[in-house]
């Protein structure tokens, strides 16, 4: 137990974003004086604020440090209270308060402070409603995503499935791989497959059928065998996952789910790009967690893992040419170059992926037909980069001359500093060697409106290249980046803002529409290939209902699992532009993800909802069926 606890509440105030009240309890046996209180939160204090009972000493984005009044001493069992009015946004949910807290004592020691929810004053917060109905299954088969075509008759549940006699070694390997996947996901369940024939089981006969589309498969069931046909290894793997899913449901809930002994499944994915993104900058996820998420993606038949490796809060990828990126840029703490952010307390937290880690993760994903698309987020979201390598900064630029939406000052790599390109060239060389993906994602999002305008080097560049303002500077930068990627044989993926200021060559560029659903249409009209990932439906960090009691972020609204499930990215996309749409993606932004429980509560079952939308045609979607099946699906 910590010696201190912080309670935080919020009260609405007309014409403002309300007032926060902080109460720090001294549970120790000593009086507390000469200290400061630091906490992290997404509900940031604005420059223009009024603090009663204390004062703001320092703020860096989500990090805040407050001082008590001169000479204050909090007796054992006593408390210190202060209020703040003047916030950058209105808190909407219980999770919008403190994410970590600590005290710095008079002698410089940092000690932990416990905390909990942001309490709502003076108004009923509403109850968090159930988000998933019991559901129902008109066809008693546990398959998710639901297949394109299915005509089955239920029969006896086989005790196990095994490869037919004379099955080729590559198919046996496939079966073993899916069996291992199942065992990792459901370690307490019985194996659905055996490599050897077992009496009472059913044989799977594998067929290669070149007329079947890539990644597609067919299953034909009879009472004595199952024929799995596909043209390629991916299709075969998806067919085997379907069989494991059928076995799992039929065993887990014999009332609801059956195994077929007659009929066919003919299945293929709706989109080529069935993605899931994970932000490992705000929170670090060790290799085992990343591998488990990849397993979960495979089980849901997703095929792209978009790995958000860098952001203001951290740089997580080992780069041999620049060890400072992880030595400095992957550590946050009270006495580190990077101050504590979302979830960091009195102790330094550090974490990055070595290049060996990356090779292992990429190979693991590839074995499950998942491509890992790395993201190096540039030119914005660069605080960790710039603090690790100060040579990247134009020393003549006015300090804090612009600020990103998350509050970081001067956080964009400078397009007029020539070292920027030398640095990124070396980074790309190493990234290309690690990741065999078709695309490298270079971010491009959320560069602050007036970025670089006080940099004399940028002024000179703007004059020389006849560039007007931040968006054109950004486009100049991104065009050079695009060339650098092309020289390395890679295509460019980025967020929708890559199109700003004239954008980049459409050829070999894929943009992710996140800000609004309509943005995807505009990008397609401009000639870009697009992946649709609107914050309003596919950002899995958003709260799942409007209720205060339901945790989550709120800046893009809220999205219930049913809304995420029902959302149709193609709805407003004109027919002529549909060929530009490569697919859809879920994004897991982790600012708020301070615990495993929180991760699971927000990510599931919405991740599977996106997976089904990515695989199953609209006419085959069925929320009730989805709800009945998804409750058996694995979580992190
Ligand atoms: C983003 O959400 N900044 C892409």
């Amino acid at each position: 137990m910590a010696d201190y606890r912080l309670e935080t509440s919020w009260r609405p105030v007309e014409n403002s974003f309300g007032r926060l009240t902080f109460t720090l309890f001294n549970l120790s046996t000593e009086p507390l004086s000469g200290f400061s209180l630091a906490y992290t939160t997404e509900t940031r204090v604005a420059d223009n604020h009024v603090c009663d009972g204390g004062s703001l000493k320092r703020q860096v984005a989500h990090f805040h440090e407050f001082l008590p009044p001169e000479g204050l001493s909090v007796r054992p069992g006593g408390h210190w209270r202060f209020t703040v009015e003047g916030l950058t946004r209105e808190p909407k949910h219980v999770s919008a308060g403190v994410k970590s807290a600590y005290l710095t004592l008079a002698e410089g020691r940092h000690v932990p402070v416990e905390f909990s929810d942001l309490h709502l004053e003076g108004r009923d917060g509403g109850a968090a409603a159930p988000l998933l109905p019991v559901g129902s299954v008109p066809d008693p088969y546990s398959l998710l995503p639901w297949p394109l075509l299915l005509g089955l008759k239920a029969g006896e549940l086989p005790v196990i499935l095994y490869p037919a006699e004379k099955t080729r070694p590559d198919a046996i390997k496939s079966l073993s791989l899916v069996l291992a996947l199942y065992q990792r996901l459901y370690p307490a369940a019985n194996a659905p497959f055996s490599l050897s024939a077992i009496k009472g089981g059913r044989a799977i006969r594998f067929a290669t059928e070149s007329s079947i589309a890539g990644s597609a498969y067919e299953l034909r069931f009879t009472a004595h065998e199952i024929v799995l046909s596909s043209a390629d290894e991916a299709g075969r793997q998806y067919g085997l996952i379907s069989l494991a899913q059928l076995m799992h449901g039929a065993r887990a809930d014999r009332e609801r789910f059956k195994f077929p002994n007659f009929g066919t499944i003919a299945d293929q994915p709706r989109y080529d790009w069935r993605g899931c993104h994970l932000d490992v900058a705000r929170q670090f996820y060790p290799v085992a967690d990343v591998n488990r998420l990849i397993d979960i993606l495979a089980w849901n038949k997703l095929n792209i893992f978009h790995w958000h490796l860098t952001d203001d809060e951290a740089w997580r990828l080992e780069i041999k040419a620049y060890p400072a990126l992880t030595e400095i840029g992957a550590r946050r703490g009270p006495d580190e170059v990077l101050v504590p952010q979302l979830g960091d307390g009195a102790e330094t937290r550090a974490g990055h992926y070595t290049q060996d880690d990356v090779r292992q993760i990429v190979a693991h994903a590839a074995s499950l037909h998942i491509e890992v698309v790395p993201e190096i987020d540039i030119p914005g979201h660069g605080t960790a980069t710039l603090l690790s390598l100060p040579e990247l900064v134009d020393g003549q630029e006015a300090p804090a001359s612009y600020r990103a939406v998350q509050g970081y000052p001067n956080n964009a790599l400078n397009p007029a500093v020539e070292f920027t390109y030398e640095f990124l060239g070396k980074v790309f060389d190493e990234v290309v060697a690690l990741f065999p993906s078709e695309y490298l994602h270079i971010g491009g999002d959320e560069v602050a409106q007036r970025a670089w305008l006080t940099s004399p080097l940028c002024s000179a560049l703007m004059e020389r290249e006849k560039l007007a303002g931040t968006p054109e500077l950004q486009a100049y930068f991104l065009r050079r980046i695009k060339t650098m990627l092309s020289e390395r044989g890679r295509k460019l993926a980025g967020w929708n803002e890559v199109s700003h200021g004239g954008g980049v060559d459409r050829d070999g560029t894929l943009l992710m529409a996140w800000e609004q659903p309509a943005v995807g249409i505009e990008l397609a009209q401009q000639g870009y290939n697009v992946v649709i990932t609107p914050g309003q439906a596919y950002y899995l960090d958003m709260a799942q209902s409007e209720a205060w009691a339901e945790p989550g972020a709120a800046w893009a609204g809220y999205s219930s699992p049913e809304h995420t499930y029902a959302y149709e990215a193609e709805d407003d996309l004109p027919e002529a532009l549909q060929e530009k749409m490569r697919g859809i993606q879920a994004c897991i932004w982790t600012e708020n993800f301070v615990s495993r429980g929180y991760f699971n509560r927000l990510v599931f079952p919405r991740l599977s909802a996106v997976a089904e939308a990515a695989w199953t045609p609209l006419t085959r979607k069925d929320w009730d069926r989805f709800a009945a099946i998804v409750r058996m699906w694995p979580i992190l």
Side-chain angles (χ1 to χ4, degrees):
M1 191 187 98
D3 280 339
Y4 310 96
R5 180 174 276 276
L6 180 65
E7 293 290 1
T8 315
S9 60
W10 176 78
R11 166 142 62 107
V13 174
E14 227 168 284
N15 301 321
S16 90
F17 292 143
R19 178 185 308 165
L20 291 171
T21 299
F22 296 88
T23 312
L24 176 73
F25 290 85
N26 180 4
L27 306 173
S28 78
T29 52
E30 302 293 326
L32 175 65
S33 61
F35 67 97
S36 71
L37 166 69
Y39 67 82
T40 65
T41 182
E42 273 216 285
T43 304
R44 287 178 287 117
V45 168
D47 291 344
N48 260 329
H49 67 268
V50 178
C51 181
D52 233 1
S55 58
L56 181 64
K57 178 184 174 196
R58 192 158 66 116
Q59 179 183 12
V60 184
H62 324 285
F63 172 87
H64 299 69
E65 186 175 10
F66 277 88
L67 290 173
E70 249 333 277
L72 179 90
S73 177
V74 186
R75 64 175 172 76
H79 65 261
W80 162 47
R81 177 168 295 150
F82 64 99
T83 64
V84 184
E85 209 173 316
L87 305 172
T88 55
R89 63 162 69 121
E90 181 175 319
K92 303 271 193 196
H93 299 283
V94 64
S95 54
V98 167
K99 302 240 163 275
S100 59
Y102 65 89
L103 298 182
T104 301
L105 302 179
E107 78 273 17
R109 203 156 52 88
H110 309 293
V111 296
V113 173
E114 289 175 334
F115 58 92
S116 67
D117 296 343
L118 180 59
H119 308 295
L120 180 59
E121 293 175 38
R123 146 163 100 75
D124 178 13
L131 297 168
L132 195 67
V134 178
S136 61
V137 279
D139 291 303
Y141 306 106
S142 85
L143 292 162
L144 195 170
W146 194 250
L148 174 64
L149 293 168
L150 162 156
L152 299 172
K153 207 162 93 45
E156 256 328 76
L157 173 60
V159 298
I160 206 152
L161 308 180
Y162 57 83
E165 251 177 76
K166 299 202 191 114
T167 295
R168 292 213 322 257
D170 59 322
I172 294 189
K173 256 190 163 152
S174 255
L175 181 131
S176 181
L177 193 135
V178 173
L179 173 56
L181 169 70
Y182 182 83
Q183 290 179 296
R184 291 194 298 275
L185 292 174
Y186 297 101
N190 296 350
F193 302 152
S194 156
L195 265 54
S196 57
I198 306 285
K199 206 169 157 56
R202 203 167 297 166
I204 308 170
R205 196 149 56 76
F206 294 85
T208 304
E209 201 76 71
S210 56
S211 60
I212 293 178
S215 297
Y217 67 93
E218 272 179 32
L219 286 165
R220 269 186 293 118
F221 295 86
T222 69
H224 72 276
E225 69 167 12
I226 300 160
V227 181
L228 167 51
S229 309
S230 64
D232 58 16
E233 210 181 280
R236 183 170 66 199
Q237 192 171 90
Y238 292 134
L240 283 166
I241 289 172
S242 290
L243 290 173
Q245 292 183 351
L246 284 166
M247 289 292 284
H248 181 72
R251 285 171 170 175
D253 185 347
R254 282 166 187 259
E255 290 293 302
R256 271 191 161 183
F257 298 103
K258 305 287 176 217
F259 196 87
N261 72 352
F262 181 78
T264 53
I265 295 174
D267 198 12
Q268 71 182 67
R270 181 179 181 187
Y271 298 120
D272 302 339
W273 189 289
R274 304 183 302 281
C276 175
H277 144 293
L278 178 68
D279 164 11
V280 296
R282 276 57 177 263
Q283 310 296 335
F284 180 67
Y285 293 87
V287 172
D289 288 358
V290 175
N291 277 332
R292 179 162 174 91
L293 180 65
I294 286 169
D295 283 346
I296 292 169
L297 303 190
W299 185 250
N300 287 278
K301 297 180 181 161
L302 291 162
N303 69 340
I304 298 281
F305 174 53
H306 170 176
W307 201 2
H308 185 78
L309 287 160
T310 74
D311 212 302
D312 288 302
E313 288 82 359
W315 180 291
R316 300 294 191 188
L317 174 66
E318 179 190 17
I319 297 293
K320 306 250 190 218
Y322 300 105
L325 287 169
T326 45
E327 283 166 6
I328 296 172
R331 302 175 69 79
R332 301 193 299 254
D335 300 313
E336 305 292 342
V337 174
L338 268 61
V339 299
Q341 294 293 349
L342 306 154
D344 308 325
E347 306 258 327
T348 289
R349 287 206 299 180
H352 73 274
Y353 306 97
T354 66
Q355 297 201 348
D356 280 342
D357 292 339
V358 170
R359 279 186 280 270
Q360 193 275 319
I361 287 170
V362 167
H364 175 64
S367 77
L368 294 165
H369 295 281
I370 292 171
E371 184 165 272
V372 182
V373 178
E375 178 180 353
I376 303 296
D377 197 354
I378 50 173
H381 288 279
T383 301
T385 316
L386 297 171
L387 289 178
S388 302
L389 295 171
E391 314 89 283
L392 288 166
V393 174
D394 174 357
Q396 303 302 309
E397 182 176 41
S401 60
Y402 62 91
R403 237 192 280 167
V405 62
Q406 288 83 6
Y408 288 97
N410 289 16
N411 71 335
L413 271 64
N414 192 314
V417 170
E418 212 35 50
F419 178 52
T420 298
Y421 303 97
E422 181 190 330
F423 160 69
L424 289 172
K426 290 188 181 163
V427 168
F428 292 151
D429 285 341
E430 296 191 28
V431 168
V432 162
L434 288 170
F435 297 92
S437 59
E438 182 182 6
Y439 288 92
L440 296 190
H441 199 297
I442 51 71
D445 58 322
E446 295 187 312
V447 170
Q449 258 179 27
R450 299 186 56 74
W452 307 308
L453 299 186
T454 72
S455 154
L457 289 174
C458 276
S459 302
L461 174 68
M462 288 164 81
E463 192 160 313
R464 199 181 75 224
E465 296 285 333
K466 311 224 166 351
L467 303 171
T470 300
E472 291 188 13
L473 271 169
Q474 173 181 306
Y476 166 86
F477 169 82
L478 289 172
R479 282 182 209 131
R480 285 187 67 172
I481 296 302
K482 166 104 178 150
T483 303
M484 290 167 70
L485 295 184
S486 300
E487 286 164 359
R488 289 163 179 80
R490 300 307 173 92
K491 297 177 178 169
L492 182 150
W495 301 106
N496 55 238
E497 298 98 313
V498 168
S499 68
H500 292 182
V504 302
D505 188 354
R506 280 47 168 173
D507 193 27
T509 299
L510 176 72
L511 299 187
M512 296 186 170
W514 69 275
E515 285 181 284
Q516 290 289 339
V519 169
I521 301 170
E522 285 160 29
L523 294 176
Q525 276 163 346
Q526 290 171 29
Y528 292 103
N529 282 326
V530 290
V531 164
I532 310 282
T533 176
Q536 296 74 14
Y538 289 172
Y539 271 25
L540 306 186
D541 57 324
M542 291 301 134
Q544 299 179 85
S545 86
E546 200 173 10
W548 179 271
E550 190 64 46
W555 60 262
Y558 58 90
S559 182
S560 66
E562 185 172 8
H563 178 257
T564 299
Y565 184 79
Y567 180 77
E568 269 296 306
E570 275 181 26
D571 258 1
D572 300 314
L573 197 66
E575 186 84 26
L577 296 178
Q578 303 227 332
E579 55 151 22
K580 292 283 171 206
M581 184 175 158
R582 290 281 313 278
I584 63 175
Q585 178 167 302
C587 288
I588 307 173
W589 295 103
T590 54
E591 286 95 329
N592 285 289
F593 284 51
V594 291
S595 70
R596 182 63 47 109
Y598 187 100
F599 186 103
N600 283 328
R601 178 168 177 170
L602 273 87
V603 169
F604 304 103
R606 292 188 294 185
L607 179 61
S608 296
V610 180
E612 186 146 300
W615 184 283
T616 309
L618 167 64
T619 52
R620 306 281 288 162
K621 280 160 75 174
D622 175 341
W623 165 245
D624 269 329
R625 181 201 60 226
F626 170 83
I629 297 169
V630 79
R631 58 187 61 255
M632 301 183 297
W633 258 217
I635 61 176
L636 197 68

